[in-house]
Amino acid sequence: MADKDGLQIAKDYQVDVPFAQQGDFHVKGAKNLDWGMKKHLTNIFNPETGKTVMFAFDHGYFMGSTKGLERLDLSIPPLAPYVDVWMATRGALRTCVPAGLKCGVALRVSSGSSMLNDDLSHEVVAVDIEDAIRMNADCMAVQTFIGGDGQLSSLDNLSKVVNAGFRYSIPTLGVVAVGRDMERTDRFFKLATRILAELGVQIVKTYYCDNFEEVVAACPVPIVVAGGKKLPEEEALTLAYNVIKGGAAGVDMGRNIFQAENPVAMAQSVYKVVHEGMSDKDAFELYKELKSK
Ligand code: 5RP
């Protein structure tokens, strides 16, 4: 065990130096992976832009019915043209999302908590690798609770999924959870994202923070950023803009799309920021124009 007192504070992130092991594949940290993994990652990250718009609507797995997601069958399909990847549970996908829509799948495979508990940090792996294969999942999403009560069990869940993923060439998406009492600092996110990458995930989902560029530089796999609590649309587009500018490989946005006044217009505007480098100001103008049609 490393002597914690002897550890030096990391500071040399060289944020302006590109990732040195990119090779000829468009996804960070993936150049040495198997063909099947690369194929799934290409279903997630657009090979032309290297970026992704993941749309998260897996909230029901612990929140039940949520504002904006009351009727998945009605609200989800119209978003498909502006979404690269659905992040969802197998129940939501099988019942409410036509398989014919051309979106990748980030399948939520951990569960076990609910809004009725104070401590949400204890989960299990709820979906067999066989079912992830049947669902044609492009990655499997596992919640992790670094620094929380459920740290050990969540990293055990994560490692089991990473191992199964390597057996069948399905990437794992490690989700950094922030508990009520956990700090949302770059120090925490550098720790959490790096732990997940070193445990073998191919993608990390985390939150935006100060010094975000350093979090990205220190993480050898792509980072996608959660939207978090609902913000006014203009601020949510600024968040999307800042995370892309800060080096994220995309967003994994939920409430800021499905709780927007016009979710389809919002998804379309986020897509422009992520894939076309549109500024947040222009994207907000676009949002207002699309909303008024
Ligand atoms: C839960 C998740 C959710 O998918 C995610 O937080 C939802 O996105 P948003 O925060 O943008 O509503 O991973 O930890």
Side-chain angles (χ1 to χ4, degrees):
M1 177 66 77
D3 169 9
K4 281 199 280 186
D5 297 337
L7 291 178
Q8 310 233 345
I9 295 182
K11 56 178 186 213
D12 194 10
Y13 292 97
Q14 304 187 64
V15 294
D16 296 326
V17 180
F19 184 62
Q21 297 299 320
Q22 188 71 44
D24 62 357
F25 191 60
H26 61 288
V27 180
K28 187 178 185 182
K31 83 166 180 180
N32 296 323
L33 295 176
D34 165 73
W35 191 93
M37 280 258 185
K38 286 180 165 161
K39 189 70 184 148
H40 282 302
L41 289 168
T42 300
N43 292 341
I44 296 171
F45 297 100
N46 180 321
E48 262 141 48
T49 65
K51 305 275 192 296
T52 189
V53 175
M54 280 193 191
F55 170 57
F57 61 102
D58 56 341
H59 304 57
Y61 101 89
F62 74 106
M63 295 174 89
S65 165
T66 314
K67 180 171 182 290
L69 296 181
E70 296 87 345
R71 288 289 303 268
L72 298 173
D73 57 320
L74 301 177
S75 55
I76 303 305
L79 296 167
Y82 314 108
V83 164
D84 297 301
V85 180
W86 305 124
M87 175 161 174
T89 61
R90 58 180 169 182
L93 288 167
R94 279 203 170 102
T95 56
C96 298
V97 183
L101 296 174
K102 199 181 134 303
C103 292
V105 169
L107 185 65
R108 158 71 56 187
V109 300
S110 66
S111 79
S113 48
S114 89
M115 290 306 278
L116 299 179
N117 299 114
D118 275 346
D119 179 7
L120 297 173
S121 75
H122 296 280
E123 296 198 338
V124 295
V125 178
V127 178
D128 288 342
I129 185 70
E130 287 78 9
D131 208 31
I133 295 167
R134 275 191 292 272
M135 298 289 298
N136 203 22
D138 292 302
C139 68
M140 300 175 285
V142 181
Q143 206 75 4
T144 62
F145 303 90
I146 305 294
D149 251 15
Q151 173 174 294
L152 175 62
S153 60
S154 71
L155 295 185
D156 185 44
N157 293 339
L158 182 87
S159 301
K160 286 181 172 135
V161 172
V162 169
N163 286 331
F166 274 120
R167 268 203 304 283
Y168 297 102
S169 281
I170 303 181
T172 300
L173 167 64
V175 181
V176 175
V178 281
R180 232 175 264 136
D181 306 323
M182 275 138 89
E183 40 174 317
R184 289 184 176 228
T185 60
D186 59 322
R187 195 173 73 130
F188 172 69
F189 291 123
K190 278 170 192 154
L191 172 84
T193 56
R194 182 64 169 266
I195 288 176
L196 300 196
E198 299 226 10
L199 293 185
V201 306
Q202 288 76 27
I203 313 167
V204 172
K205 170 175 176 172
T206 188
Y207 291 84
Y208 187 62
C209 60
D210 289 343
N211 298 321
F212 181 71
E213 295 79 2
E214 293 184 356
V215 178
V216 171
C219 182
V221 299
I223 286 185
V224 293
V225 175
K229 282 193 187 131
K230 172 75 176 75
L231 302 166
E233 283 79 353
E234 189 171 12
E235 285 175 37
L237 289 165
T238 298
L239 172 70
Y241 179 74
N242 286 340
V243 308
I244 295 301
K245 196 161 64 121
V251 295
D252 187 358
M253 218 173 227
R255 287 162 285 181
N256 280 294
I257 291 178
F258 65 71
Q259 292 179 347
E261 195 184 332
N262 185 326
V264 174
M266 189 61 183
Q268 210 168 338
S269 308
V270 169
Y271 193 94
K272 288 271 180 191
V273 172
V274 171
H275 285 298
E276 295 177 24
M278 184 178 268
S279 74
D280 47 345
K281 284 195 176 36
D282 288 351
F284 186 56
E285 290 308 311
L286 174 69
Y287 173 71
K288 287 190 290 188
E289 189 188 315
L290 293 169
K291 189 172 70 119
S292 67
K293 279 189 185 156

